[in-house]
Amino acid sequence: MPGRYPPEFRRKVLDLVADVEVRRDLGDAADLDISDQTTYAWRRQELVDTGQMPGTTSTDNAELVAARRGIAELEAEVAVHRRAAELLKEGSTPQDGTRRSR
């Protein structure tokens, strides 16, 4: 399975698929070494992005991905701080084994 295609390539493929005469010449997306499912997904996302179909736009999706990544980083940072606080608390107990009252 190939990696992600650049946006320019996607745009060119969508333009070719939209052009009826070119589509007759190409036959299908297999001539471009792209699966029909891939071109279908690209076309569907284009319809969502242009407001012709309901769904999450590419821009909104990119923002969600960035927000989720940021949240994961913050959660990891909080976990580190919690662990550091636990270690500092363990290190602050008296040496004679008695506990301090709170």
Side-chain angles (χ1 to χ4, degrees):
M1 181 166 104
R4 296 184 59 129
Y5 294 98
E8 304 82 29
F9 179 76
R10 288 181 184 205
R11 178 77 262 145
K12 288 179 182 179
V13 169
L14 288 173
D15 290 343
L16 288 173
V17 170
D19 188 353
V20 176
E21 289 180 25
V22 172
R23 197 172 4 167
R24 268 190 241 123
D25 292 339
L26 286 175
D28 59 49
D31 295 337
L32 299 171
D33 291 328
I34 303 169
S35 72
D36 290 338
Q37 180 61 34
T38 299
T39 55
Y40 173 82
W42 290 353
R43 177 70 179 132
R44 185 176 185 285
Q45 189 61 52
E46 180 184 43
L47 293 173
V48 170
D49 289 346
T50 58
Q52 299 174 37
M53 191 174 187
T56 305
T57 65
S58 297
T59 304
D60 289 344
N61 193 40
E63 290 174 4
L64 285 170
V65 168
R68 287 182 182 129
R69 187 176 300 124
I71 289 168
E73 290 173 4
L74 290 172
E75 287 174 342
E77 188 174 327
V78 167
V80 167
H81 287 286
R82 283 186 180 144
R83 182 65 180 140
E86 289 173 8
L87 293 173
L88 289 174
K89 188 176 181 181
E90 288 174 10
S92 65
T93 57
Q95 296 296 327
D96 63 3
T98 59
R99 296 198 115 163
R100 291 187 212 167
S101 62
R102 291 185 183 193

